PDB file of all heavy atoms in Angstrom:
ATOM      1  N   MET L 668     -17.172 -69.720 -20.576  1.00 98.00           N
ATOM      2  CA  MET L 668     -17.652 -71.031 -20.143  1.00 98.00           C
ATOM      3  C   MET L 668     -16.624 -71.791 -19.304  1.00 98.00           C
ATOM      4  O   MET L 668     -16.954 -72.656 -18.522  1.00 98.00           O
ATOM      5  CB  MET L 668     -18.060 -71.878 -21.355  1.00 98.00           C
ATOM      6  CG  MET L 668     -19.303 -71.316 -22.095  1.00 98.00           C
ATOM      7  SD  MET L 668     -20.783 -71.168 -21.049  1.00 98.00           S
ATOM      8  CE  MET L 668     -20.651 -69.416 -20.517  1.00 98.00           C
ATOM      9  N   GLU L 669     -15.334 -71.442 -19.457  1.00 98.00           N
ATOM     10  CA  GLU L 669     -14.300 -72.021 -18.605  1.00 98.00           C
ATOM     11  C   GLU L 669     -14.467 -71.562 -17.122  1.00 98.00           C
ATOM     12  O   GLU L 669     -13.964 -72.237 -16.235  1.00 98.00           O
ATOM     13  CB  GLU L 669     -12.893 -71.636 -19.100  1.00 98.00           C
ATOM     14  CG  GLU L 669     -12.477 -72.426 -20.338  1.00 98.00           C
ATOM     15  CD  GLU L 669     -11.111 -72.055 -20.836  1.00 98.00           C
ATOM     16  OE1 GLU L 669     -10.748 -70.823 -20.804  1.00 98.00           O
ATOM     17  OE2 GLU L 669     -10.377 -72.923 -21.330  1.00 98.00           O
ATOM     18  N   GLU L 670     -15.158 -70.471 -16.928  1.00 97.00           N
ATOM     19  CA  GLU L 670     -15.471 -70.035 -15.559  1.00 97.00           C
ATOM     20  C   GLU L 670     -16.418 -71.022 -14.882  1.00 97.00           C
ATOM     21  O   GLU L 670     -16.405 -71.151 -13.657  1.00 97.00           O
ATOM     22  CB  GLU L 670     -16.124 -68.654 -15.560  1.00 97.00           C
ATOM     23  CG  GLU L 670     -15.218 -67.531 -16.078  1.00 97.00           C
ATOM     24  CD  GLU L 670     -15.964 -66.185 -16.120  1.00 97.00           C
ATOM     25  OE1 GLU L 670     -16.931 -66.061 -15.350  1.00 97.00           O
ATOM     26  OE2 GLU L 670     -15.563 -65.347 -16.896  1.00 97.00           O
ATOM     27  N   ILE L 671     -17.204 -71.719 -15.685  1.00 97.00           N
ATOM     28  CA  ILE L 671     -18.149 -72.695 -15.165  1.00 97.00           C
ATOM     29  C   ILE L 671     -17.535 -74.075 -15.096  1.00 97.00           C
ATOM     30  O   ILE L 671     -17.715 -74.813 -14.130  1.00 97.00           O
ATOM     31  CB  ILE L 671     -19.406 -72.752 -16.067  1.00 97.00           C
ATOM     32  CG1 ILE L 671     -20.099 -71.423 -16.118  1.00 97.00           C
ATOM     33  CG2 ILE L 671     -20.366 -73.836 -15.618  1.00 97.00           C
ATOM     34  CD1 ILE L 671     -21.231 -71.360 -17.130  1.00 97.00           C
ATOM     35  N   ARG L 672     -16.794 -74.413 -16.137  1.00 96.00           N
ATOM     36  CA  ARG L 672     -16.262 -75.768 -16.273  1.00 96.00           C
ATOM     37  C   ARG L 672     -14.867 -75.732 -16.885  1.00 96.00           C
ATOM     38  O   ARG L 672     -14.688 -75.283 -18.024  1.00 96.00           O
ATOM     39  CB  ARG L 672     -17.219 -76.561 -17.185  1.00 96.00           C
ATOM     40  CG  ARG L 672     -16.892 -78.029 -17.306  1.00 96.00           C
ATOM     41  CD  ARG L 672     -18.059 -78.800 -17.907  1.00 96.00           C
ATOM     42  NE  ARG L 672     -17.628 -80.111 -18.327  1.00 96.00           N
ATOM     43  CZ  ARG L 672     -18.459 -81.070 -18.719  1.00 96.00           C
ATOM     44  NH1 ARG L 672     -19.792 -80.826 -18.711  1.00 96.00           N
ATOM     45  NH2 ARG L 672     -18.026 -82.234 -19.082  1.00 96.00           N
ATOM     46  N   PRO L 673     -13.848 -76.174 -16.150  1.00 96.00           N
ATOM     47  CA  PRO L 673     -12.473 -76.059 -16.631  1.00 96.00           C
ATOM     48  C   PRO L 673     -12.200 -76.721 -17.963  1.00 96.00           C
ATOM     49  O   PRO L 673     -11.308 -76.279 -18.718  1.00 96.00           O
ATOM     50  CB  PRO L 673     -11.668 -76.733 -15.508  1.00 96.00           C
ATOM     51  CG  PRO L 673     -12.515 -76.591 -14.309  1.00 96.00           C
ATOM     52  CD  PRO L 673     -13.933 -76.711 -14.783  1.00 96.00           C
ATOM     53  N   ASP L 674     -12.924 -77.768 -18.317  1.00 96.00           N
ATOM     54  CA  ASP L 674     -12.714 -78.464 -19.598  1.00 96.00           C
ATOM     55  C   ASP L 674     -13.614 -77.943 -20.691  1.00 96.00           C
ATOM     56  O   ASP L 674     -13.782 -78.619 -21.703  1.00 96.00           O
ATOM     57  CB  ASP L 674     -12.894 -79.953 -19.421  1.00 96.00           C
ATOM     58  CG  ASP L 674     -14.298 -80.357 -19.050  1.00 96.00           C
ATOM     59  OD1 ASP L 674     -15.068 -79.468 -18.638  1.00 96.00           O
ATOM     60  OD2 ASP L 674     -14.647 -81.540 -19.180  1.00 96.00           O
ATOM     61  N   ALA L 675     -14.189 -76.760 -20.543  1.00 97.00           N
ATOM     62  CA  ALA L 675     -15.088 -76.213 -21.515  1.00 97.00           C
ATOM     63  C   ALA L 675     -14.453 -76.073 -22.892  1.00 97.00           C
ATOM     64  O   ALA L 675     -15.087 -76.266 -23.929  1.00 97.00           O
ATOM     65  CB  ALA L 675     -15.637 -74.862 -21.053  1.00 97.00           C
ATOM     66  N   ARG L 676     -13.163 -75.725 -22.916  1.00 97.00           N
ATOM     67  CA  ARG L 676     -12.498 -75.523 -24.216  1.00 97.00           C
ATOM     68  C   ARG L 676     -12.521 -76.798 -25.061  1.00 97.00           C
ATOM     69  O   ARG L 676     -12.809 -76.754 -26.263  1.00 97.00           O
ATOM     70  CB  ARG L 676     -11.066 -75.062 -23.987  1.00 97.00           C
ATOM     71  CG  ARG L 676     -10.269 -74.788 -25.298  1.00 97.00           C
ATOM     72  CD  ARG L 676      -8.897 -74.230 -25.001  1.00 97.00           C
ATOM     73  NE  ARG L 676      -9.034 -72.928 -24.340  1.00 97.00           N
ATOM     74  CZ  ARG L 676      -9.197 -71.767 -24.955  1.00 97.00           C
ATOM     75  NH1 ARG L 676      -9.243 -71.757 -26.284  1.00 97.00           N
ATOM     76  NH2 ARG L 676      -9.295 -70.644 -24.295  1.00 97.00           N
ATOM     77  N   ALA L 677     -12.257 -77.911 -24.446  1.00 94.00           N
ATOM     78  CA  ALA L 677     -12.258 -79.194 -25.195  1.00 94.00           C
ATOM     79  C   ALA L 677     -13.665 -79.471 -25.723  1.00 94.00           C
ATOM     80  O   ALA L 677     -13.813 -80.092 -26.809  1.00 94.00           O
ATOM     81  CB  ALA L 677     -11.830 -80.326 -24.258  1.00 94.00           C
ATOM     82  N   LEU L 678     -14.692 -79.046 -24.986  1.00 94.00           N
ATOM     83  CA  LEU L 678     -16.079 -79.271 -25.439  1.00 94.00           C
ATOM     84  C   LEU L 678     -16.480 -78.336 -26.584  1.00 94.00           C
ATOM     85  O   LEU L 678     -17.253 -78.734 -27.498  1.00 94.00           O
ATOM     86  CB  LEU L 678     -17.042 -79.104 -24.282  1.00 94.00           C
ATOM     87  CG  LEU L 678     -16.924 -80.117 -23.141  1.00 94.00           C
ATOM     88  CD1 LEU L 678     -17.782 -79.650 -21.939  1.00 94.00           C
ATOM     89  CD2 LEU L 678     -17.348 -81.501 -23.603  1.00 94.00           C
ATOM     90  N   LEU L 679     -15.991 -77.124 -26.545  1.00 96.00           N
ATOM     91  CA  LEU L 679     -16.451 -76.056 -27.453  1.00 96.00           C
ATOM     92  C   LEU L 679     -15.620 -75.875 -28.694  1.00 96.00           C
ATOM     93  O   LEU L 679     -16.025 -75.168 -29.622  1.00 96.00           O
ATOM     94  CB  LEU L 679     -16.602 -74.737 -26.679  1.00 96.00           C
ATOM     95  CG  LEU L 679     -17.607 -74.766 -25.548  1.00 96.00           C
ATOM     96  CD1 LEU L 679     -17.575 -73.463 -24.783  1.00 96.00           C
ATOM     97  CD2 LEU L 679     -19.027 -75.009 -26.054  1.00 96.00           C
ATOM     98  N   GLU L 680     -14.418 -76.447 -28.745  1.00 95.00           N
ATOM     99  CA  GLU L 680     -13.529 -76.246 -29.903  1.00 95.00           C
ATOM    100  C   GLU L 680     -13.674 -77.315 -30.972  1.00 95.00           C
ATOM    101  O   GLU L 680     -12.951 -77.289 -31.971  1.00 95.00           O
ATOM    102  CB  GLU L 680     -12.074 -76.144 -29.456  1.00 95.00           C
ATOM    103  CG  GLU L 680     -11.697 -74.806 -28.836  1.00 95.00           C
ATOM    104  CD  GLU L 680     -10.208 -74.653 -28.637  1.00 95.00           C
ATOM    105  OE1 GLU L 680      -9.502 -75.708 -28.491  1.00 95.00           O
ATOM    106  OE2 GLU L 680      -9.727 -73.478 -28.581  1.00 95.00           O
ATOM    107  N   ARG L 681     -14.554 -78.218 -30.775  1.00 95.00           N
ATOM    108  CA  ARG L 681     -14.733 -79.318 -31.735  1.00 95.00           C
ATOM    109  C   ARG L 681     -15.086 -78.790 -33.093  1.00 95.00           C
ATOM    110  O   ARG L 681     -15.897 -77.872 -33.257  1.00 95.00           O
ATOM    111  CB  ARG L 681     -15.822 -80.259 -31.229  1.00 95.00           C
ATOM    112  CG  ARG L 681     -16.025 -81.498 -32.078  1.00 95.00           C
ATOM    113  CD  ARG L 681     -17.004 -82.414 -31.380  1.00 95.00           C
ATOM    114  NE  ARG L 681     -17.963 -83.006 -32.287  1.00 95.00           N
ATOM    115  CZ  ARG L 681     -19.103 -83.494 -31.910  1.00 95.00           C
ATOM    116  NH1 ARG L 681     -19.470 -83.479 -30.659  1.00 95.00           N
ATOM    117  NH2 ARG L 681     -19.906 -84.008 -32.801  1.00 95.00           N
ATOM    118  N   LYS L 682     -14.473 -79.352 -34.139  1.00 96.00           N
ATOM    119  CA  LYS L 682     -14.656 -78.885 -35.503  1.00 96.00           C
ATOM    120  C   LYS L 682     -15.961 -79.437 -36.126  1.00 96.00           C
ATOM    121  O   LYS L 682     -16.582 -80.324 -35.584  1.00 96.00           O
ATOM    122  CB  LYS L 682     -13.476 -79.313 -36.365  1.00 96.00           C
ATOM    123  CG  LYS L 682     -12.118 -78.731 -35.870  1.00 96.00           C
ATOM    124  CD  LYS L 682     -12.166 -77.217 -35.841  1.00 96.00           C
ATOM    125  CE  LYS L 682     -10.823 -76.617 -35.395  1.00 96.00           C
ATOM    126  NZ  LYS L 682     -10.874 -75.157 -35.288  1.00 96.00           N
ATOM    127  N   SER L 683     -16.292 -78.853 -37.259  1.00 97.00           N
ATOM    128  CA  SER L 683     -17.512 -79.206 -38.033  1.00 97.00           C
ATOM    129  C   SER L 683     -18.747 -79.048 -37.176  1.00 97.00           C
ATOM    130  O   SER L 683     -19.587 -79.926 -37.133  1.00 97.00           O
ATOM    131  CB  SER L 683     -17.415 -80.619 -38.568  1.00 97.00           C
ATOM    132  OG  SER L 683     -18.372 -80.826 -39.601  1.00 97.00           O
ATOM    133  N   SER L 684     -18.847 -77.896 -36.518  1.00 97.00           N
ATOM    134  CA  SER L 684     -19.960 -77.587 -35.652  1.00 97.00           C
ATOM    135  C   SER L 684     -20.885 -76.498 -36.170  1.00 97.00           C
ATOM    136  O   SER L 684     -21.935 -76.225 -35.565  1.00 97.00           O
ATOM    137  CB  SER L 684     -19.472 -77.248 -34.211  1.00 97.00           C
ATOM    138  OG  SER L 684     -18.822 -78.349 -33.648  1.00 97.00           O
ATOM    139  N   ALA L 685     -20.451 -75.781 -37.214  1.00 98.00           N
ATOM    140  CA  ALA L 685     -21.254 -74.694 -37.763  1.00 98.00           C
ATOM    141  C   ALA L 685     -21.203 -74.748 -39.274  1.00 98.00           C
ATOM    142  O   ALA L 685     -20.133 -74.966 -39.859  1.00 98.00           O
ATOM    143  CB  ALA L 685     -20.721 -73.389 -37.269  1.00 98.00           C
ATOM    144  N   TYR L 686     -22.341 -74.542 -39.915  1.00 98.00           N
ATOM    145  CA  TYR L 686     -22.426 -74.474 -41.379  1.00 98.00           C
ATOM    146  C   TYR L 686     -23.380 -73.332 -41.753  1.00 98.00           C
ATOM    147  O   TYR L 686     -24.474 -73.200 -41.164  1.00 98.00           O
ATOM    148  CB  TYR L 686     -22.961 -75.765 -41.981  1.00 98.00           C
ATOM    149  CG  TYR L 686     -23.277 -75.651 -43.453  1.00 98.00           C
ATOM    150  CD1 TYR L 686     -22.299 -75.830 -44.404  1.00 98.00           C
ATOM    151  CD2 TYR L 686     -24.573 -75.303 -43.885  1.00 98.00           C
ATOM    152  CE1 TYR L 686     -22.597 -75.699 -45.775  1.00 98.00           C
ATOM    153  CE2 TYR L 686     -24.879 -75.173 -45.220  1.00 98.00           C
ATOM    154  CZ  TYR L 686     -23.885 -75.376 -46.171  1.00 98.00           C
ATOM    155  OH  TYR L 686     -24.196 -75.234 -47.495  1.00 98.00           O
ATOM    156  N   SER L 687     -22.943 -72.503 -42.676  1.00 98.00           N
ATOM    157  CA  SER L 687     -23.833 -71.498 -43.244  1.00 98.00           C
ATOM    158  C   SER L 687     -23.759 -71.611 -44.784  1.00 98.00           C
ATOM    159  O   SER L 687     -22.654 -71.837 -45.324  1.00 98.00           O
ATOM    160  CB  SER L 687     -23.444 -70.081 -42.795  1.00 98.00           C
ATOM    161  OG  SER L 687     -23.618 -69.910 -41.415  1.00 98.00           O
ATOM    162  N   GLY L 688     -24.882 -71.448 -45.435  1.00 98.00           N
ATOM    163  CA  GLY L 688     -24.920 -71.577 -46.873  1.00 98.00           C
ATOM    164  C   GLY L 688     -26.272 -71.274 -47.428  1.00 98.00           C
ATOM    165  O   GLY L 688     -27.210 -70.945 -46.684  1.00 98.00           O
ATOM    166  N   ILE L 689     -26.400 -71.416 -48.738  1.00 98.00           N
ATOM    167  CA  ILE L 689     -27.663 -71.096 -49.423  1.00 98.00           C
ATOM    168  C   ILE L 689     -27.992 -72.294 -50.335  1.00 98.00           C
ATOM    169  O   ILE L 689     -27.176 -72.678 -51.150  1.00 98.00           O
ATOM    170  CB  ILE L 689     -27.550 -69.799 -50.207  1.00 98.00           C
ATOM    171  CG1 ILE L 689     -27.289 -68.636 -49.226  1.00 98.00           C
ATOM    172  CG2 ILE L 689     -28.829 -69.547 -50.998  1.00 98.00           C
ATOM    173  CD1 ILE L 689     -26.906 -67.314 -49.884  1.00 98.00           C
ATOM    174  N   ILE L 690     -29.147 -72.863 -50.138  1.00 98.00           N
ATOM    175  CA  ILE L 690     -29.582 -74.074 -50.828  1.00 98.00           C
ATOM    176  C   ILE L 690     -30.656 -73.703 -51.862  1.00 98.00           C
ATOM    177  O   ILE L 690     -31.572 -72.941 -51.575  1.00 98.00           O
ATOM    178  CB  ILE L 690     -30.147 -75.097 -49.839  1.00 98.00           C
ATOM    179  CG1 ILE L 690     -29.193 -75.263 -48.620  1.00 98.00           C
ATOM    180  CG2 ILE L 690     -30.381 -76.426 -50.553  1.00 98.00           C
ATOM    181  CD1 ILE L 690     -27.827 -75.824 -48.970  1.00 98.00           C
ATOM    182  N   GLY L 691     -30.528 -74.336 -53.059  1.00 98.00           N
ATOM    183  CA  GLY L 691     -31.482 -74.066 -54.116  1.00 98.00           C
ATOM    184  C   GLY L 691     -32.699 -74.977 -54.067  1.00 98.00           C
ATOM    185  O   GLY L 691     -32.716 -75.943 -53.303  1.00 98.00           O
ATOM    186  N   PRO L 692     -33.672 -74.757 -54.919  1.00 98.00           N
ATOM    187  CA  PRO L 692     -34.907 -75.538 -54.872  1.00 98.00           C
ATOM    188  C   PRO L 692     -34.764 -76.976 -55.355  1.00 98.00           C
ATOM    189  O   PRO L 692     -35.695 -77.761 -55.252  1.00 98.00           O
ATOM    190  CB  PRO L 692     -35.863 -74.755 -55.816  1.00 98.00           C
ATOM    191  CG  PRO L 692     -34.943 -73.980 -56.693  1.00 98.00           C
ATOM    192  CD  PRO L 692     -33.780 -73.620 -55.866  1.00 98.00           C
ATOM    193  N   ASP L 693     -33.587 -77.324 -55.845  1.00 98.00           N
ATOM    194  CA  ASP L 693     -33.291 -78.713 -56.169  1.00 98.00           C
ATOM    195  C   ASP L 693     -32.609 -79.466 -55.044  1.00 98.00           C
ATOM    196  O   ASP L 693     -32.230 -80.631 -55.157  1.00 98.00           O
ATOM    197  CB  ASP L 693     -32.424 -78.832 -57.427  1.00 98.00           C
ATOM    198  CG  ASP L 693     -31.091 -78.081 -57.296  1.00 98.00           C
ATOM    199  OD1 ASP L 693     -30.844 -77.497 -56.205  1.00 98.00           O
ATOM    200  OD2 ASP L 693     -30.324 -78.102 -58.268  1.00 98.00           O
ATOM    201  N   GLY L 694     -32.437 -78.762 -53.896  1.00 98.00           N
ATOM    202  CA  GLY L 694     -31.825 -79.379 -52.691  1.00 98.00           C
ATOM    203  C   GLY L 694     -30.320 -79.314 -52.693  1.00 98.00           C
ATOM    204  O   GLY L 694     -29.702 -79.856 -51.771  1.00 98.00           O
ATOM    205  N   ARG L 695     -29.718 -78.652 -53.666  1.00 98.00           N
ATOM    206  CA  ARG L 695     -28.272 -78.561 -53.728  1.00 98.00           C
ATOM    207  C   ARG L 695     -27.791 -77.164 -53.377  1.00 98.00           C
ATOM    208  O   ARG L 695     -28.474 -76.154 -53.666  1.00 98.00           O
ATOM    209  CB  ARG L 695     -27.742 -78.926 -55.121  1.00 98.00           C
ATOM    210  CG  ARG L 695     -28.027 -80.401 -55.509  1.00 98.00           C
ATOM    211  CD  ARG L 695     -27.409 -80.729 -56.864  1.00 98.00           C
ATOM    212  NE  ARG L 695     -28.007 -79.956 -57.941  1.00 98.00           N
ATOM    213  CZ  ARG L 695     -27.655 -80.045 -59.218  1.00 98.00           C
ATOM    214  NH1 ARG L 695     -26.685 -80.894 -59.562  1.00 98.00           N
ATOM    215  NH2 ARG L 695     -28.240 -79.329 -60.132  1.00 98.00           N
ATOM    216  N   PRO L 696     -26.607 -77.042 -52.731  1.00 98.00           N
ATOM    217  CA  PRO L 696     -26.083 -75.709 -52.444  1.00 98.00           C
ATOM    218  C   PRO L 696     -25.919 -74.884 -53.717  1.00 98.00           C
ATOM    219  O   PRO L 696     -25.450 -75.411 -54.733  1.00 98.00           O
ATOM    220  CB  PRO L 696     -24.710 -75.994 -51.784  1.00 98.00           C
ATOM    221  CG  PRO L 696     -24.872 -77.396 -51.262  1.00 98.00           C
ATOM    222  CD  PRO L 696     -25.735 -78.109 -52.208  1.00 98.00           C
ATOM    223  N   VAL L 697     -26.284 -73.613 -53.655  1.00 98.00           N
ATOM    224  CA  VAL L 697     -26.121 -72.709 -54.778  1.00 98.00           C
ATOM    225  C   VAL L 697     -24.672 -72.344 -54.938  1.00 98.00           C
ATOM    226  O   VAL L 697     -24.205 -72.050 -56.017  1.00 98.00           O
ATOM    227  CB  VAL L 697     -27.006 -71.470 -54.594  1.00 98.00           C
ATOM    228  CG1 VAL L 697     -26.829 -70.484 -55.721  1.00 98.00           C
ATOM    229  CG2 VAL L 697     -28.463 -71.871 -54.459  1.00 98.00           C
ATOM    230  N   THR L 698     -23.954 -72.299 -53.819  1.00 98.00           N
ATOM    231  CA  THR L 698     -22.533 -71.908 -53.770  1.00 98.00           C
ATOM    232  C   THR L 698     -21.876 -72.629 -52.634  1.00 98.00           C
ATOM    233  O   THR L 698     -22.545 -73.297 -51.829  1.00 98.00           O
ATOM    234  CB  THR L 698     -22.379 -70.381 -53.633  1.00 98.00           C
ATOM    235  OG1 THR L 698     -21.017 -70.029 -53.793  1.00 98.00           O
ATOM    236  CG2 THR L 698     -22.923 -69.903 -52.285  1.00 98.00           C
ATOM    237  N   ASP L 699     -20.542 -72.538 -52.533  1.00 98.00           N
ATOM    238  CA  ASP L 699     -19.858 -73.162 -51.423  1.00 98.00           C
ATOM    239  C   ASP L 699     -20.268 -72.525 -50.103  1.00 98.00           C
ATOM    240  O   ASP L 699     -20.411 -71.290 -50.028  1.00 98.00           O
ATOM    241  CB  ASP L 699     -18.337 -73.016 -51.604  1.00 98.00           C
ATOM    242  CG  ASP L 699     -17.834 -73.857 -52.741  1.00 98.00           C
ATOM    243  OD1 ASP L 699     -18.494 -74.843 -53.126  1.00 98.00           O
ATOM    244  OD2 ASP L 699     -16.736 -73.533 -53.265  1.00 98.00           O
ATOM    245  N   GLY L 700     -20.478 -73.307 -49.063  1.00 98.00           N
ATOM    246  CA  GLY L 700     -20.829 -72.804 -47.757  1.00 98.00           C
ATOM    247  C   GLY L 700     -19.598 -72.607 -46.891  1.00 98.00           C
ATOM    248  O   GLY L 700     -18.456 -72.841 -47.318  1.00 98.00           O
ATOM    249  N   LEU L 701     -19.854 -72.153 -45.694  1.00 98.00           N
ATOM    250  CA  LEU L 701     -18.781 -71.956 -44.707  1.00 98.00           C
ATOM    251  C   LEU L 701     -18.935 -72.952 -43.573  1.00 98.00           C
ATOM    252  O   LEU L 701     -20.043 -73.209 -43.115  1.00 98.00           O
ATOM    253  CB  LEU L 701     -18.864 -70.534 -44.081  1.00 98.00           C
ATOM    254  CG  LEU L 701     -18.218 -69.382 -44.816  1.00 98.00           C
ATOM    255  CD1 LEU L 701     -18.552 -68.078 -44.058  1.00 98.00           C
ATOM    256  CD2 LEU L 701     -16.716 -69.556 -44.961  1.00 98.00           C
ATOM    257  N   ILE L 702     -17.821 -73.539 -43.139  1.00 98.00           N
ATOM    258  CA  ILE L 702     -17.836 -74.434 -42.006  1.00 98.00           C
ATOM    259  C   ILE L 702     -16.908 -73.872 -40.913  1.00 98.00           C
ATOM    260  O   ILE L 702     -15.719 -73.642 -41.188  1.00 98.00           O
ATOM    261  CB  ILE L 702     -17.406 -75.867 -42.369  1.00 98.00           C
ATOM    262  CG1 ILE L 702     -18.440 -76.482 -43.318  1.00 98.00           C
ATOM    263  CG2 ILE L 702     -17.260 -76.757 -41.126  1.00 98.00           C
ATOM    264  CD1 ILE L 702     -18.067 -77.902 -43.791  1.00 98.00           C
ATOM    265  N   ASP L 703     -17.480 -73.572 -39.771  1.00 98.00           N
ATOM    266  CA  ASP L 703     -16.788 -73.148 -38.547  1.00 98.00           C
ATOM    267  C   ASP L 703     -16.238 -71.693 -38.604  1.00 98.00           C
ATOM    268  O   ASP L 703     -16.282 -70.997 -37.567  1.00 98.00           O
ATOM    269  CB  ASP L 703     -15.651 -74.097 -38.190  1.00 98.00           C
ATOM    270  CG  ASP L 703     -16.145 -75.470 -37.814  1.00 98.00           C
ATOM    271  OD1 ASP L 703     -17.324 -75.587 -37.396  1.00 98.00           O
ATOM    272  OD2 ASP L 703     -15.387 -76.477 -37.952  1.00 98.00           O
ATOM    273  N   GLU L 704     -15.732 -71.239 -39.716  1.00 97.00           N
ATOM    274  CA  GLU L 704     -15.071 -69.931 -39.787  1.00 97.00           C
ATOM    275  C   GLU L 704     -16.093 -68.782 -39.897  1.00 97.00           C
ATOM    276  O   GLU L 704     -17.172 -68.974 -40.480  1.00 97.00           O
ATOM    277  CB  GLU L 704     -14.113 -69.865 -40.935  1.00 97.00           C
ATOM    278  CG  GLU L 704     -13.025 -70.907 -40.942  1.00 97.00           C
ATOM    279  CD  GLU L 704     -12.155 -70.821 -39.697  1.00 97.00           C
ATOM    280  OE1 GLU L 704     -11.856 -69.677 -39.258  1.00 97.00           O
ATOM    281  OE2 GLU L 704     -11.759 -71.868 -39.127  1.00 97.00           O
TER     282      GLU L 704
END
């Protein structure tokens, strides 16, 4: 993306942009999820 826009790194490295996890039927996470990694 830096080939398109020189400041792409600043746009794409922002934290708290990805979450994966498993949620139970009570609406609470069943286990700890992952953020960014």
Side-chain angles (χ1 to χ4, degrees):
M668 294 302 95
E669 285 179 323
E670 296 178 24
I671 299 173
R672 186 166 166 170
D674 64 345
R676 182 174 298 275
L678 295 170
L679 297 174
E680 282 190 335
R681 185 172 137 199
K682 300 301 182 184
S683 197
S684 296
Y686 170 86
S687 294
I689 298 169
I690 312 297
D693 58 1
R695 295 184 296 179
V697 178
T698 187
D699 292 337
L701 276 176
I702 294 179
D703 294 336
E704 302 300 322

